[in-house]
Amino acid sequence: AARSAIDQMGIKVAKNIKADGTYSLQGSFQGNGKADDLLKTATGQLEYSATDGHIYQDVVVLNVLKYLNVTELLTGQTDLKKIETEGFGYRSIKIEASLQDGTISYKRAILDGPSMVLTGAGEQDLLTGLLDLNLLVTLQVTLGRVLDKLPMVGGVLQGLNTIPLGVKGTLDNVRIQALAPSAVSYELKSIMENTVKGPIKLMNIGRKPAAEGKTSP
């Protein structure tokens, strides 16, 4: 019944997200009208968290990993072929979002894994499926020990190398592209620094071949 209601409202959802872990989901929504119009009038807030699990299939995360692998930024750290069976381990996931006019606005999304920390913000149009997200990726981070790993140059603490990425397209055809450091908002930079508990240095990796991924029907 729930799936039928979602279909009637016209929401474009990912059909092949697969993950495990201990999670919590809280939210409140309100709207009026017929099922066909409900999504256009609905407003609400959503908070999601999960701990100690694995991601086996997720269109955004896997395409980010694919992009980093293609651009040789992740070589030797993650075997993409093993993710479907062994999963990509994470310590925690936190998402804060709001819904209005058929669009989900992600205020903050944080994935903390042993080999990668990913933070993001942006929008997803639930009526069309269009994505417009900005992400920051910091590799090989052990939270709580960041300050021990950062180099000192001239007595000044240097930041962790962090890669800015953009996510465009739809859930059926995700496009990952490099972002210039100047395109990263102060808020998103602060989310990453608060997550890794230390300063970061945004990398300008220039124009790289975009990774495109399609989900299975």
Side-chain angles (χ1 to χ4, degrees):
R3 178 72 214 186
S4 176
I6 290 175
D7 289 340
Q8 289 180 39
M9 291 167 64
I11 299 177
K12 309 296 183 182
V13 297
K15 298 181 180 180
N16 63 343
I17 296 176
K18 183 179 179 182
D20 61 27
T22 302
Y23 74 93
S24 171
L25 177 63
Q26 298 181 349
S28 60
F29 298 92
Q30 61 183 10
N32 55 69
K34 297 181 180 179
D36 291 343
D37 300 322
L38 186 58
L39 184 59
K40 299 176 183 178
T41 64
T43 61
Q45 304 290 326
L46 172 70
E47 292 186 9
Y48 172 85
S49 63
T51 57
D52 300 326
H54 295 80
I55 296 172
Y56 302 95
Q57 201 164 4
D58 178 274
V59 65
V60 173
V61 172
L62 293 187
N63 275 284
V64 166
L65 294 174
K66 178 182 175 182
Y67 178 88
L68 296 176
N69 197 58
V70 167
T71 54
E72 299 183 350
L73 292 169
L74 197 64
T75 302
Q77 297 187 52
T78 300
D79 187 340
L80 299 179
K81 294 181 180 179
K82 291 184 179 180
I83 288 181
E84 288 189 6
T85 55
E86 299 181 7
F88 180 81
Y90 67 85
R91 287 182 287 253
S92 66
I93 297 174
K94 298 179 182 178
I95 296 174
E96 296 179 16
S98 62
L99 171 65
Q100 187 170 2
D101 300 327
T103 298
I104 289 185
S105 296
Y106 295 97
K107 298 178 181 177
R108 65 176 65 209
I110 303 169
L111 185 155
D112 164 27
S115 62
M116 177 180 80
V117 172
L118 183 152
T119 63
E123 296 184 343
Q124 177 183 359
D125 189 322
L126 296 180
L127 296 171
T128 64
L130 288 174
L131 295 166
D132 186 4
L133 307 172
N134 285 353
L135 308 177
L136 293 180
V137 180
T138 302
L139 301 175
Q140 291 184 321
V141 173
T142 302
L143 298 188
R145 296 183 58 84
V146 169
L147 297 182
D148 295 335
K149 295 177 178 293
L150 293 180
M152 297 283 290
V153 177
V156 178
L157 193 65
Q158 301 299 296
L160 284 163
N161 286 338
T162 298
I163 305 159
L165 297 175
V167 181
K168 302 287 187 180
T170 68
L171 292 172
D172 295 322
N173 187 15
V174 173
R175 300 192 305 275
I176 309 295
Q177 60 190 30
L179 286 183
S182 59
V184 177
S185 69
Y186 172 81
E187 289 78 12
L188 184 54
K189 185 173 182 289
S190 296
I191 292 172
M192 177 60 81
E193 289 181 331
N194 290 334
T195 301
V196 300
K197 306 185 189 308
I200 62 173
K201 180 175 65 177
L202 298 178
M203 299 174 62
N204 191 342
I205 60 176
R207 299 186 64 182
K208 300 289 183 178
E212 297 186 3
K214 295 187 177 181
T215 59
S216 301

